[in-house]
Amino acid sequence: MDSVTQIALGSAVGYAVLGNKVGKKAALYGAIFGTLPDLDVFISFGGPVEDFTYHRSFSHSFLMQLLISPVIAWLLCKFHPATKVHRTGWFWLVFLTLSTHALLDSFTVYGTQLLWPLTEYPFGFSSLFIIDPLYTLPLLVGLLAFCVPGISQGRLHRINSVALTLSSVYIAWSLAAKWHIDAKIDKALSARGIEKNLYESTPAPFTTLLWRAVVVNNDQYYEIFTSVFDAPSEVSVDSYPTSPQLLNTVSNEWNVQRLQWFTKGLYSVRQDEDRIILSDLRMGIEGSYVFTFEVGRHTDSGIQVSDFNHIENRPDLGQASALWDRIWDAEVSLSPTGRGSLED
């Protein structure tokens, strides 16, 4: 999730754990530790693919957080000697702010390595977009409350408890919405005779009212949009070609295998002039996939491995209004070309 959300969540968790003992310091340190795991973005892991696939690994691991938390708690007691009696409380503040950061990230589609180094599997429940104002708003109100001078501790606790409750209820709603969406898409694909070999659904930007899903079947993939208000017959399905055979001569390369694994098979391959391009279909929309890499070059002697440069391909923010319109109107098309739409 975005940094503002993680700061607000860390602040709320920190105050819930130790606010009645150390006051607003608990919220301050909660905010600091709530954003700490994402500092791994400043670490170079060796290349574009490594940076992409090792983000949210060791710093987001429950096991590593469990090991580092006693050390940080000890340092906090050294820095605030009057709070030594609360050493156990400091431990729980640190561990819970770190671990709730990782847990919240796992509700997005990116993938979070919660059990590193036992397994590098990128857990992703894919029920929240990386920025969701309705999740963040209650926590942000709670964060702002800590900045109000003279507010009583009792009132802060009440505001904080409500903020955590509302944000948790929203996560529960997102999981229920995903179940509803997946069942609806199942019916829509079945009616069109489309198999779900590889599939994932995820909320559209900033909302859980509109969802996007992808299906990959051999040399074709489908981009699907549906609102929670749609009937199965109103689900939008667009098909596009992919050419996985272009990877045949570079299939043994670690970077290629790493991308195939990390995307869980939900990628497309295409040739752009002499470049072989692999795109993670889970993040972005057709024509604007956030994580796209040059994996090969077409030469006179065939396809050769490339340098795996990350190709900047950010979605057009001007499409946000169309996404909003699609929530309420199934006739709104989000296909970038208007081609490939599949009807019942």
Side-chain angles (χ1 to χ4, degrees), residues 138-185:
L139 296 171
L140 196 57
V141 170
L143 180 63
L144 293 175
F146 293 123
C147 302
V148 176
I151 189 169
S152 69
Q153 185 168 304
R155 190 172 184 185
L156 279 177
H157 273 293
R158 288 192 294 273
I159 294 173
N160 198 56
S161 296
V162 170
L164 284 171
T165 299
L166 290 176
S167 61
S168 299
V169 168
Y170 188 77
I171 290 178
W173 147 254
S174 75
L175 292 170
K178 182 178 175 69
W179 174 84
H180 171 68
I181 289 295
D182 288 344
K184 185 187 304 185
I185 290 175

Side-chain angles (χ1 to χ4, degrees), residues 194-207:
I194 300 173
E195 295 183 3
K196 284 197 327 182
N197 289 345
L198 294 167
Y199 168 84
E200 185 61 273
S201 61
T202 187
F206 317 124
T207 181

Side-chain angles (χ1 to χ4, degrees), residues 70-115:
V71 178
I72 298 177
W74 176 79
L75 291 173
L76 287 170
C77 290
K78 286 289 186 181
F79 192 66
H80 299 288
T83 67
K84 283 183 179 180
V85 67
H86 304 306
R87 180 171 295 174
T88 300
W90 280 121
F91 163 79
W92 284 113
L93 181 148
V94 175
F95 177 68
L96 289 175
T97 52
L98 293 174
S99 61
T100 52
H101 173 121
L103 184 62
L104 180 61
D105 274 351
S106 73
F107 283 98
T108 67
V109 74
Y110 187 100
T112 307
Q113 298 173 39
L114 298 175
L115 298 179

Side-chain angles (χ1 to χ4, degrees), residues 10-46:
S11 175
V13 170
Y15 195 77
V17 172
L18 208 56
N20 60 337
K21 300 293 197 306
V22 301
K24 291 184 179 180
K25 282 197 293 289
L28 174 61
Y29 282 111
I32 293 171
F33 299 131
T35 195
L36 188 62
D38 279 343
L39 295 183
D40 69 339
V41 298
F42 296 106
I43 299 174
S44 174
F45 291 101

